[in-house]
Amino acid sequence: MELVLGLVFGVIFGSILTLAKVIRYEKQVSAVLLKDMTIIKFMFSAVVVGSIGVNVLYQMGLINLHLKPMMIGAIVVGGILFGLGWAMTGYCPGTSVAALAEGRVHALFAILGMLVGSMIFANLYPYLKPIIEFGNLGKITIYQYFNVSPYIIIVILAIFAIGIFYFFETKKL
Amino acid sequence: MKERVLNPYIGGILVGILAILIVYLTTVLIGDTKFLGTSTTFVKMAGLIEKFFVHDISNQYYDKVKLTIDWQFMFVIGIFLGALISSILSGSFRIELVPPIFRERFGNNFILRAVFAFIGGIFVAFGARLADGCPSGHGLSGMMQLSLGSLLAVIVFFSSAIIFANLIYRSRR
């Protein structure tokens, strides 16, 4: 059941990503060159809608959260390395798989690189623990950190999203 | 053939709804809430490949993620299948060796593009594992849960990529 659900949801997710064109190298590189904000529009829309549903379901006690810990050292160092790699490949892990399926043969080398990168990380993991544990604040949400209701954060997020969408559309980005 | 396009806002809203369905239905049907993500699957694939060649490896990180075919593994396979089916049906499937932005900057050089994609892929996966997530796990799932670490991760991912992409693709004249 778990595996069937994973496959079905993956097919739907992959189809939406492909039809919205966010899997393309052009869209990802153009976004970080600040020329075409398609993927930002896509991500923010998804996050605003998803955060409402996820938080309502959680407050009703119908689902659990799987928060990733706020590890300042690991996220900053990892994030910088990720950004370098993302600018070079033009793909993140999910989009590389979809781009290969869309016939972008060069994405295969990105996937091979990601497998090698994962292997290197797994083998260096014991030595990386000092970075991983540096500045670890544990599993914490934005609203817990600021001690407010989650819905206040969602409203701020939505207002921010609408603001940047308006900016992107007037600038034709 | 004219490609059918899905507006990025509509695509994002659909992914938001999909994410809500995923957390709710996996909780009801499997008894465990699943959030969408992709980069852990690259570790599992890397570990399975490494285990195939070196049988008796002891690796803390592979033990931590567990080298099994799970929900997310099937989700990633689903992304590939969904992208393949929808790109063929929508007419966006095209064999591409060198993407246009890369060609403009570095010429029509497939080997160079493959090297960039491969080395970038190593940084992408290493960085994503260190930060404990990628644009799917942090950018979509983590942000929907309003996780503080995911907010930091998204800010660092984009800031770093913006800096490196401008260094790589904007040629000095």
Side-chain angles (χ1 to χ4, degrees), chain A residues 61-110:
Chain A
L62 294 174
I63 60 159
N64 300 310
L65 296 186
H66 283 288
L67 289 169
K68 293 168 188 287
M70 170 69 167
M71 309 169 297
I72 298 172
I75 291 173
V76 170
V77 178
I80 291 171
L81 293 174
F82 179 91
L84 166 63
W86 194 18
M88 288 179 75
T89 56
Y91 294 120
C92 60
T95 52
S96 64
V97 174
L100 178 64
E102 205 186 19
R104 274 54 174 182
V105 181
H106 50 101
L108 177 65
F109 296 93

Side-chain angles (χ1 to χ4, degrees), chain A residues 1-3 5-7 9-16 18-21 24-26 29-30 32-35 38 40-43 45-47 49-51 53-55 57 62-72 74-89 91-94 96-98 100-106 109-126 128-129 132 140-143 145 150 153-154 157 165 169, chain B residues 3 5-6 8-9 11-18 20 22-27 29-30 32-36 38-39 42-43 45-46 49-50 59-62 64 69-71 74-84 86-87 90 92-97 99-102 110 113-114 116-132 134-135 137-140 143-149 151-153 156-158 160-162 164-166 168-170:
Chain A
M1 188 64 180
E2 178 184 336
L3 301 182
L5 277 179
L7 187 69
F9 286 132
V11 168
I12 301 170
F13 186 60
S15 300
I16 301 171
T18 306
L19 295 175
K21 301 184 190 294
R24 298 196 184 167
Y25 169 93
E26 276 72 28
V29 171
S30 300
V32 290
L33 288 174
L34 309 176
K35 287 177 177 168
T38 302
I40 314 288
K41 295 172 189 173
F42 177 85
M43 282 184 81
S45 306
V47 166
V49 172
S51 64
V54 166
N55 282 283
L57 289 173
L62 294 174
I63 60 159
N64 300 310
L65 296 186
H66 283 288
L67 289 169
K68 293 168 188 287
M70 170 69 167
M71 309 169 297
I72 298 172
I75 291 173
V76 170
V77 178
I80 291 171
L81 293 174
F82 179 91
L84 166 63
W86 194 18
M88 288 179 75
T89 56
Y91 294 120
C92 60
S96 64
V97 174
L100 178 64
E102 205 186 19
R104 274 54 174 182
V105 181
H106 50 101
F109 296 93
I111 295 171
L112 294 175
M114 289 176 203
L115 290 173
V116 172
S118 301
M119 221 175 264
I120 294 171
F121 179 84
N123 286 288
L124 292 181
Y125 178 67
L128 295 168
K129 278 187 176 163
I132 295 172
I140 185 168
T141 59
I142 304 168
Y143 55 88
Y145 187 78
I153 304 295
I154 294 173
L157 205 64
F165 292 165
E169 296 307 323
Chain B
E3 292 175 19
V5 186
L6 188 61
Y9 298 116
I13 291 168
L14 290 176
V15 164
I17 295 169
L18 179 69
I20 298 168
I22 290 175
V23 291
Y24 184 66
L25 290 178
T26 53
T27 312
L29 298 172
I30 319 173
D32 183 19
T33 310
K34 301 284 181 192
F35 282 88
L36 61 89
T38 50
S39 59
F42 282 78
V43 180
M45 283 183 191
I49 294 167
E50 202 174 329
N59 183 309
Q60 284 179 33
Y61 199 68
Y62 291 150
K64 189 181 168 215
I69 308 292
D70 66 347
W71 188 88
M74 295 307 291
F75 185 77
V76 174
I77 292 172
I79 293 176
F80 183 87
L81 294 176
L84 183 65
S86 57
S87 66
S90 73
S92 70
F93 183 92
R94 188 176 74 237
I95 298 293
E96 177 187 87
L97 295 177
I101 295 175
F102 192 88
F110 176 60
R113 170 59 191 146
F116 255 75
F118 182 75
I119 294 173
I122 293 176
F123 284 115
V124 162
F126 190 91
R129 283 340 301 156
L130 190 55
D132 199 21
C134 57
H138 271 310
L140 295 174
M143 284 299 292
M144 287 173 192
Q145 297 175 71
L146 305 176
S147 151
L148 187 63
L151 178 66
L152 177 65
V156 180
F157 286 167
F158 275 96
S160 168
I162 287 169
F164 285 115
N166 278 283
I168 295 168
Y169 297 102
R170 287 211 205 268

